[in-house]
Amino acid sequence: MPWWRRARTRGFPPSGNGASSFHLRWAFPPGTGHLAAAGVTLEILTPPAVDRLYFWALQVGFPGAGAAHLGLQWNHRHPGFGAVNWGGYAADGSLLDGSESSLPSTPDDRNTRDYPWKPGRAYRLGVRRVGADRWRGEVTDLTTSDTRAVRDLRAVAPFLGDPMVWSEVFARCDDPSVTARWSDFEVVTEDGYRLAPATLTVNYQSPRDGGCANTSSVADSRGGVLQVTNAERVTPQGATL
């Protein structure tokens, strides 16, 4: 059997960026209209126990102008491992330009800022248009109702496209299990109509591309979806939730 077809449940992912990623792609009914904003709630129910980077994000596309991701990180370069990132890439592969953030950054990373998130607490991630070519990434602590603008990215796009959420894990496949919970998936159309995705499609990074075989996405009893590392994969590739 070729090496890339074997189930990988131990060791570091041999992917190009050293991470194993898994995704939930959002789908909407035909005729939904153009999207002006997207949001989702994230809770880290079981936090990481190792000194490796974990990144949980809402990704949005800028048709013709690239894509960007907004999310929380477990990142040793920031105090208490807490960070938030809002950054992305233009269509030509270059980094998207953006405003300076009001949040501090211990390593002076323009995209990644210090943010002391806490396990078990719900955070709302939101992206919205604030100008002709400016898109704001915000995070709200739903326990305190405190909203922080991470910064504005510049992308000349008429609307958002292809929203999804994902977990990107730079740890070993067999490191202690981590659980992230996603809920309250929502977009806002240009005419102000709010709606949830009709379906969420499960995607796992393939063994050929270096993904771990023991990541899993599963719907919970409260209308959310759990993304879990080092666990039995109970939801197959391509399933809809």
Side-chain angles (χ1 to χ4, degrees), residues 137-214:
E138 297 174 316
V139 58
T140 300
D141 182 332
L142 295 181
T143 299
T144 64
S145 299
D146 177 59
T147 297
R148 299 295 179 96
V150 182
R151 64 176 184 146
D152 297 346
L153 288 182
R154 296 186 178 91
V156 182
F159 50 85
L160 296 177
D162 302 321
M164 71 173 80
V165 295
W166 42 253
S167 295
E168 187 175 49
V169 179
F170 293 79
R172 294 173 57 95
C173 300
D174 52 325
D175 275 331
S177 183
V178 171
T179 301
R181 181 177 189 268
W182 301 99
S183 63
D184 298 324
F185 307 83
E186 184 182 71
V187 295
V188 182
T189 64
E190 288 184 318
D191 59 6
Y193 183 55
R194 295 177 177 270
L195 72 160
T199 60
L200 301 170
T201 301
V202 173
N203 180 69
Y204 303 105
Q205 188 171 19
S206 71
R208 183 167 196 162
D209 292 331
C212 298
N214 56 346

Side-chain angles (χ1 to χ4, degrees), residues 22-92:
F22 48 127
H23 319 80
L24 296 170
R25 304 183 187 278
W26 306 10
F28 299 92
T32 293
H34 292 159
L35 307 183
V40 67
T41 297
L42 170 62
E43 303 166 78
I44 308 304
L45 301 182
T46 307
V50 296
D51 184 3
R52 303 293 299 184
L53 176 63
Y54 288 71
F55 191 5
W56 308 274
L58 165 65
Q59 178 174 309
V60 294
F62 300 122
H69 40 255
L70 169 69
L72 301 182
Q73 292 185 352
W74 173 264
N75 188 328
H76 76 274
R77 300 195 306 157
H78 297 263
F81 287 81
V84 62
N85 176 290
W86 175 223
Y89 297 90
D92 63 3

Side-chain angles (χ1 to χ4, degrees), residues 88-101:
Y89 297 90
D92 63 3
S94 62
L95 288 173
L96 289 172
D97 190 20
S99 64
E100 294 295 329
S101 177

Side-chain angles (χ1 to χ4, degrees), residues 24 180 202 204 216-221 224-228 234-235 241:
L24 296 170
V202 173
Y204 303 105
S216 189
S217 295
V218 59
D220 70 12
S221 60
V225 178
L226 307 179
Q227 287 195 313
V228 191
V234 295
T235 306
L241 301 175

